[in-house]
Amino acid sequence: MDPTTPYTVFVNSTDKFEDCWLPFFKLFSHYWPNCSAKIILNTETKSYDFPSLNIQSTQVSRKPHAKKQTWGHCLIKGLEQVRTPLVLYLQEDYFLKEIVDHKTIDDLAVYMMEREITRTHVHHIGLTSFDRHGPFGVTPNPLLWQINSQDPFFISLQAGLWQTQTLKSLVSENDTPWGFEAKGQDLNKRTLRFYTLNKQEFQPSTRQVISYDHTGVIRGRWNPDIVPLFTKHNLDIDFNIRGFYTKENQVPSVQTIRQRLLRRLKQYLPKAKL
């Protein structure tokens, strides 16, 4: 770990996704060799090690017989163990499939730190081609676009750089991942500068910073798209345990239905308190 690196790679997970850790870190070590940042794996009770990687497991619920904690609680407690001003947020099923453009990540992290000095803060930078839908605005940095407050995914949990305190301040104890992203529609965004990659400069077919399929696990089941990647890297996974996500089992969850209804209602009743 390079002590001058201003960000920590924060891999948000949960014990029930333990079967993702081996493929995640094997692919991470292959596609991001010699990563200079500290790596934190956010877990409840378990720890994990991988050769050549210095992984700190948070174990935020180590007390014997502790009750199951919420996603929001675990994220807050995990972020309390971060000692850098920035975090690079990832999740355990973001399985890397191409070499990471670490130079661009480092440059953008430095850019965020420089903006701190001048008090023209950048609170977040999305690092994928599918994290936001727009509209977008220009920024002083040609690599970046500003995320408009009207973007339905103003908050995104796809790979991105965050000011550690900003991310922590936005999370509530009872948040779910879906609820956390949805709350971006209700924030007072006047003081938040959220950026994403310039979509003209960064395209999936030409140039990416962090390349992975949108999610490796969908509603608790494996995304079939990751099978060729796992096969390529000789990852012997028993897919029968989780099974595969298919059209037959894609009935939306109650939480997903609720979020869809709320978004639709807010389109037609913007002043309603829902």
Side-chain angles (χ1 to χ4, degrees), residues 26 36 40 43 47 50 63 85 105 120 129-130 137 145 201 216 225 243 245 265 267:
K26 181 171 182 177
S36 62
I40 288 182
T43 69
S47 62
F50 188 86
K63 293 182 179 180
I105 294 175
T120 53
S129 58
F130 44 73
W145 285 349
E201 290 286 333
D225 294 342
Y245 179 76
L265 285 171
Q267 289 176 353

Side-chain angles (χ1 to χ4, degrees), residues 95-144:
F95 300 114
L96 300 181
K97 59 181 185 179
E98 293 181 12
I99 292 293
V100 172
D101 182 358
H102 65 88
K103 183 181 184 306
T104 295
I105 294 175
D106 291 348
D107 289 347
L108 293 177
V110 169
Y111 178 70
M112 291 178 74
M113 297 302 296
E114 290 173 346
R115 295 291 292 265
E116 285 293 290
I117 295 172
T118 60
R119 297 189 180 277
T120 53
H121 310 285
V122 175
H123 301 96
H124 165 72
I125 298 176
L127 296 174
T128 74
S129 58
F130 44 73
D131 59 348
R132 300 313 199 289
H133 301 286
F136 301 108
V138 297
T139 76
N141 189 319
L143 297 181
L144 300 172

Side-chain angles (χ1 to χ4, degrees), residues 3-30:
T4 64
T5 303
Y7 63 88
T8 297
V9 175
F10 187 89
V11 185
N12 199 24
S13 189
T14 179
D15 289 2
K16 67 180 181 180
F17 276 69
E18 182 181 13
D19 55 338
C20 291
W21 299 345
L22 171 61
F24 177 90
F25 285 110
K26 181 171 182 177
L27 294 168
F28 184 96
S29 66
H30 180 85

Side-chain angles (χ1 to χ4, degrees), residues 20-199:
C20 291
W21 299 345
L22 171 61
F24 177 90
F25 285 110
K26 181 171 182 177
L27 294 168
F28 184 96
S29 66
H30 180 85
Y31 289 113
W32 197 346
N34 304 316
C35 174
S36 62
K38 182 176 182 177
I39 302 170
I40 288 182
L41 174 64
N42 198 30
T43 69
E44 291 151 322
T45 64
K46 297 185 177 182
S47 62
Y48 183 75
D49 296 305
F50 188 86
S52 79
L53 295 178
N54 182 17
I55 303 169
Q56 172 189 332
S57 301
T58 57
Q59 297 177 285
V60 297
S61 299
R62 278 180 291 180
K63 293 182 179 180
H65 310 297
K67 68 177 183 179
K68 173 70 175 178
Q69 299 293 344
T70 63
W71 178 89
H73 173 88
C74 292
L75 179 53
I76 292 169
K77 291 300 182 182
L79 290 172
E80 288 176 353
Q81 298 188 30
V82 174
R83 297 294 177 262
T84 52
L86 306 177
V87 292
L88 171 53
Y89 180 92
L90 298 172
Q91 293 183 179
E92 77 290 284
D93 63 337
Y94 296 173
F95 300 114
L96 300 181
K97 59 181 185 179
E98 293 181 12
I99 292 293
V100 172
D101 182 358
H102 65 88
K103 183 181 184 306
T104 295
I105 294 175
D106 291 348
D107 289 347
L108 293 177
V110 169
Y111 178 70
M112 291 178 74
M113 297 302 296
E114 290 173 346
R115 295 291 292 265
E116 285 293 290
I117 295 172
T118 60
R119 297 189 180 277
T120 53
H121 310 285
V122 175
H123 301 96
H124 165 72
I125 298 176
L127 296 174
T128 74
S129 58
F130 44 73
D131 59 348
R132 300 313 199 289
H133 301 286
F136 301 108
V138 297
T139 76
N141 189 319
L143 297 181
L144 300 172
W145 285 349
Q146 185 161 3
I147 300 165
N148 189 284
S149 62
Q150 300 305 310
D151 192 309
F153 289 96
F154 184 80
I155 292 179
S156 171
L157 288 173
Q158 295 301 317
L161 285 166
W162 289 82
Q163 285 189 6
T164 306
Q165 289 306 312
T166 297
L167 178 56
K168 185 179 174 184
S169 70
L170 291 175
V171 182
S172 301
E173 285 274 339
N174 293 321
D175 273 343
T176 64
W178 310 276
F180 177 65
E181 290 186 323
K183 73 166 54 174
Q185 300 173 60
D186 301 319
L187 288 176
N188 181 344
K189 302 161 188 169
R190 288 177 296 177
T191 60
L192 293 173
R193 289 191 185 91
F194 280 22
Y195 289 179
T196 190
L197 297 175
N198 181 331
K199 308 298 185 187

